[in-house]
């Protein structure tokens, strides 16, 4: 046979009509002998789909504009083959990556190439929302009704009754749901412009697939919007069929389950040769100096920081019930630190309940850079209720201060050696001011009296920044003074206690 | 001219021609399946990678390109046409 073949068909008067598309690398980034072939199994639909995509890119002259987002799955290495821009995305996230790439480079042609596990299982949210936003990207969706790469687990598209490693008795809709029909699903959304399902079941179907791929890419050049071509594709290896039988299964089993056809084609409404205007951009961000105004903080132009303590290392844990102003108290402390030109951090930590759950926050105020915002060993504990005292008292560092929101400790709690305690009924004092909820600021006043760590001016400035309502600012100022006063009295009554600075 | 191009049906030279890159072919047989005049087969011998590569029977190719698109390997096949035939058609 071989002797009948021409050494050089061109010399014999032929010209090339179909050859390796230019959008493939001339050599693949694979080891040694393998650099001329793909890593796909013989007869794999990914190889065919790659070729159709490459050919369509060639025909439309888009090679230099195209950025391919490859998925996780057998086609994870699509970037070995297509000589375009390439990004490889985390499993299922290609449409999100494509969105970012397209928005940053609106003149690029951005292609998300994904398998059915990638797109319809882990990545279902990404594809739905990219489609729903009408991102001007093109998605090629290779539906082989299985997870190929990982050895044949059920995909959302696996057919009812089909055996897989995770449906060993066949897919049963009671347990595993029904095959997801992606084109039909996306066709319920307003935004998509072009949705078509094609197949690789024979030469005719392959030709139709090429036409759909070409059209989807062309629509992107016309800025038509979101398009997706679902490609029913053979996976001979996992299906345990030879390539020809796998191709037959695409025709005879997949196509009846996933009807071929156009599910949406609004691109056809664009007059031939016309390009839609670019998508309107979102409103530009405000100029930097407009931001304080937008945040309603432009009235108090901060003065230069108040005199800054040379040494400061406050590690504060504020804890109580939600609604007691725990987080706000932490914020005022941190803001006061900022006013002093110190390094600060404020880390809230709360349960799922907005109110009536527990709530605590970590605050650091330091003359050094803050290495971690977590306060595991506080030197100040502001315990606004009993559970918080029980929980955090054992964590307080020797030499540290504990302020507790009651005039005495529960009988069963002993204060560890070397810990300074100030029990003060802050909420009750606030109650007498007419606002129980100002108990947090009463405790802040008490902290100022107990320690010399923070000058009162810094706290006043912080309050002015943190408290928006004039009425509350007034209440908080009184609460601060009340706490300071009450703490001084309590401390001077306790002659055995020595007032002490911590810094 | 080689006998190949002249021994096609009715003594008319073939419109098309196809070459297989036997080192890139994985012997899947999808090109054989796609070819309407059935002028491709899988060779009895194995290539370096252990596949039976596709092989052109030497005549009868129409240059339709169906085998090319059915082939999963980027450079598995090259399809040719005779320009005069294209012009005449
Ligand atoms: C976050 C994450 N979860 C799971 C996996 C394991 N994993 C790799 S590929 C794959 C499924 C691929 O199936 P599909 O998208 O259908 O691609 P195919 O190989 O069939 O083309 C899974 C689950 C992973 N790599 N990353
Ligand atoms: S396992 Fe299936 S999808 Fe993956 S390369 Fe092989 S044939 Fe293709
Ligand atoms: S180009 Fe057409 S006729 Fe020629 S070998 Fe390929 S499929 Fe057969
Ligand atoms: S389709 Fe390609 S890889 Fe498969 S046998 Fe034919 S030439 Fe070889
Ligand atoms: Mg799959």
């Amino acid at each position: 046979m071989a002797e009948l073949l021409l050494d050089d068909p061109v010399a014999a008067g032929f010209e090339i009509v179909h050859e390796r598309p230019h959008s493939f690398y001339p050599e693949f980034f694979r080891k040694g002998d393998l650099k001329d072939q793909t890593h796909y199994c013989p007869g794999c639909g990914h190889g065919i789909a790659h070729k159709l995509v490459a050919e369509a890119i060639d025909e439309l002259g888009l090679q230099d504009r195209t950025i391919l987002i490859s998925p996780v799955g057998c086609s994870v290495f699509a970037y070995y083959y297509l000589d375009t821009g390439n990004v490889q995305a985390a499993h299922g996230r290609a449409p999100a990556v494509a969105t970012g790439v397209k928005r940053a480079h609106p003149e690029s042609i951005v292609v998300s190439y994904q398998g059915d596990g990638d797109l319809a299982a882990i990545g279902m949210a990404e594809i739905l929302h990219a489609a729903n936003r009408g991102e001007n990207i093109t998605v090629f969706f290779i539906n082989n009704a299985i997870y190929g790469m990982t050895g044949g687990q059920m995909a959302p598209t696996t057919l009812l009754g089909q055996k897989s490693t995770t449906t060993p008795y066949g897919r049963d809709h009671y347990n595993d749901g029904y095959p997801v029909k992606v084109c039909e699903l996306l066709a319920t959304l307003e935004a998509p412009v072009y949705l078509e399902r094609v197949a690789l079941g024979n030469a005719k179907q392959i030709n139709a697939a090429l036409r759909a791929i070409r059209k989807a890419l062309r629509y992107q050049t016309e800025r038509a919007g979101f398009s997706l071509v679902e490609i029913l594709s053979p996976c001979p290896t996992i299906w345990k069929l030879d390539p020809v039988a796998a191709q037959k299964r695409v025709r005879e089993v997949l196509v009846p389950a996933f009807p071929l056809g156009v599910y949406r084609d609004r691109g056809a409404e664009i007059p031939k040769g016309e390009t839609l205007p670019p998508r309107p951009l979102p409103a530009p961000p405000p100029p930097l100096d407009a931001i304080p105004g937008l945040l309603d903080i432009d009235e108090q132009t901060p003065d230069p920081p108040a005199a800054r303590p040379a040494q400061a290392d406050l590690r504060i844990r504020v804890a109580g019930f939600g609604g007691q102003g725990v987080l706000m108290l932490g914020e005022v402390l941190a803001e006061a630190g900022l006013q002093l030109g110190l390094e600060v951090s404020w880390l809230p930590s709360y349960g799922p309940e907005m109110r009536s759950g527990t709530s605590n926050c970590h605050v650091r105020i330091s003359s050094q850079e803050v290495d971690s915002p977590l306060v595991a060993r506080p030197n100040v504990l502001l315990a606004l209720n009993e559970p918080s005292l029980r929980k955090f008292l054992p964590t307080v560092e020797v030499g540290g201060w504990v302020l507790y929101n009651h005039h005495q400790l529960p009988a069963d709690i002993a204060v560890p050696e070397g810990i300074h305690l100030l029990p003060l009924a802050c909420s009750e004092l606030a109650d007498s001011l007419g606002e129980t909820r100002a108990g947090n600021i009463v405790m802040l006043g008490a902290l100022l009296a107990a320690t010399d760590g923070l000058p009162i001016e810094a706290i006043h400035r912080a309050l002015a920044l943190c408290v928006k309502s004039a009425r509350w600012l007034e209440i908080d100022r009184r609460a601060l003074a009340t706490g300071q006063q009450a703490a001084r009295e309590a401390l001077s009554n306790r002659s055995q206690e020595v007032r002490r600075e911590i810094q | 001219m080689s006998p190949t191009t002249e021994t096609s049906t009715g003594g008319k030279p073939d419109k098309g021609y196809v070459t297989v890159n036997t080192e890139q072919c994985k012997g899947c047989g999808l090109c054989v399946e796609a070819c309407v005049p059935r002028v491709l087969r899988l060779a009895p011998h194995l290539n370096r990678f252990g596949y039976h590569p596709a092989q052109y029977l030497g005549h009868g190719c129409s240059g339709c390109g169906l085998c090319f698109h059915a082939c999963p390997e980027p450079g598995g096949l090259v399809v040719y046409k005779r320009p005069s035939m294209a012009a005449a058609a």
Side-chain angles (χ1 to χ4, degrees), chain A residues 40 44 46 71-76 90-93 113-120 122 141-150 153 155-157 235 238:
Chain A
Y40 296 116
C44 174
H46 280 302
V72 169
C74 282
S75 51
V76 62
H91 205 10
R93 277 42 174 176
Y113 183 105
Q114 302 179 259
D116 45 352
D118 189 84
L119 180 140
I122 193 168
F141 168 43
I142 309 299
N143 178 357
N144 55 15
I146 201 77
Y147 288 6
M149 184 198 217
T150 43
Q153 294 79 5
T157 44
C235 170
I238 303 292

Side-chain angles (χ1 to χ4, degrees), chain A residues 247-262:
Chain A
Q247 194 179 48
K248 185 165 177 248
R249 182 172 185 269
V250 170
R251 287 195 305 273
E252 296 185 356
V253 180
L254 261 61
V255 169
F258 297 101
L260 303 188
V262 176

Side-chain angles (χ1 to χ4, degrees), chain A residues 42-386:
Chain A
C44 174
H46 280 302
I48 301 171
H50 282 21
K51 200 183 228 173
L52 302 182
V53 171
E55 187 158 323
I57 292 173
D58 276 9
E59 284 173 16
L60 294 165
L62 297 176
Q63 184 180 7
D64 291 341
R65 285 174 66 190
T66 300
I67 300 174
L68 181 81
I69 319 295
S70 39
V72 169
C74 282
S75 51
V76 62
F77 294 135
Y79 60 83
Y80 280 180
Y81 309 119
L82 284 142
D83 185 4
T84 56
N86 280 287
V87 181
Q88 198 282 315
H91 205 10
R93 277 42 174 176
V97 174
T99 297
V101 171
K102 182 70 184 185
R103 288 189 181 194
H105 298 283
E107 292 313 313
S108 293
I109 299 303
V110 181
V111 175
S112 177
Y113 183 105
Q114 302 179 259
D116 45 352
D118 189 84
L119 180 140
I122 193 168
M124 183 59 113
E126 275 71 15
I127 192 65
L128 274 178
H129 292 293
N132 193 43
R133 293 188 305 266
E135 295 296 339
N136 187 23
I137 59 172
T138 304
V139 182
F140 297 126
F141 168 43
I142 309 299
N143 178 357
N144 55 15
I146 201 77
Y147 288 6
M149 184 198 217
T150 43
Q153 294 79 5
M154 187 194 89
T157 44
T158 294
L159 301 180
L160 288 180
Q162 183 179 329
K163 289 185 176 161
S164 70
T165 60
T166 46
T167 55
Y169 305 111
R171 182 175 188 170
D172 166 14
H173 68 86
Y174 288 116
N175 199 49
D176 316 312
Y178 290 88
V180 172
K181 294 180 178 167
V182 168
C183 280
E184 287 87 332
L185 191 63
L186 296 186
T188 64
L189 303 174
E190 285 300 314
V193 161
Y194 176 49
L195 303 167
E196 180 167 356
R197 184 181 291 122
V198 297
L200 305 179
N202 59 28
K204 197 173 157 209
Q205 290 180 351
I206 291 170
N207 261 335
L210 175 58
R211 282 196 300 276
I213 288 169
R214 203 190 284 133
K215 191 195 242 184
L217 288 171
R218 179 167 57 79
Y219 280 169
Q220 190 176 159
T221 68
E222 293 167 1
R223 304 196 183 103
F226 181 90
S227 57
L228 177 143
V229 180
E230 174 171 348
I231 303 167
L232 303 181
S233 182
C235 170
T237 301
I238 303 292
W239 295 358
K240 299 193 177 69
L241 294 172
D242 70 62
V244 173
Q247 194 179 48
K248 185 165 177 248
R249 182 172 185 269
V250 170
R251 287 195 305 273
E252 296 185 356
V253 180
L254 261 61
V255 169
F258 297 101
L260 303 188
V262 176
Y263 287 82
R264 177 73 56 81
D265 191 355
R266 288 212 195 106
E269 293 160 18
I270 302 173
K272 257 239 144 15
E274 266 187 39
T275 298
L276 297 183
R279 281 165 74 94
L281 294 172
L288 209 53
D289 51 12
I291 289 175
L294 288 170
L295 297 176
D296 211 18
I297 53 174
D298 55 347
E299 273 142 47
Q300 306 102 348
T301 313
D303 305 328
R308 164 190 182 148
Q311 284 299 316
D313 177 24
L314 283 171
R315 281 165 279 123
I316 308 170
R317 196 78 180 242
V318 191
F321 288 128
Q324 280 187 313
V326 168
L327 304 188
M328 191 265 186
L329 173 50
E331 256 180 306
V332 173
L333 282 163
E335 185 62 53
L338 280 182
Q339 291 299 314
L340 293 166
L342 296 169
E343 303 283 335
V344 307
S345 66
W346 171 77
L347 184 73
S349 155
Y350 41 84
E353 311 93 337
M354 281 300 282
R355 292 274 186 269
S356 75
T358 56
S359 163
N360 75 81
C361 66
H362 312 237
V363 178
R364 291 196 59 179
I365 302 175
S366 175
S367 45
Q368 307 293 312
E369 267 182 30
V370 173
D371 49 5
S372 161
L374 283 174
V375 175
R377 297 285 287 152
N379 53 17
V380 174
L381 169 63
L382 304 180
L384 285 150
N385 63 13
E386 188 186 318

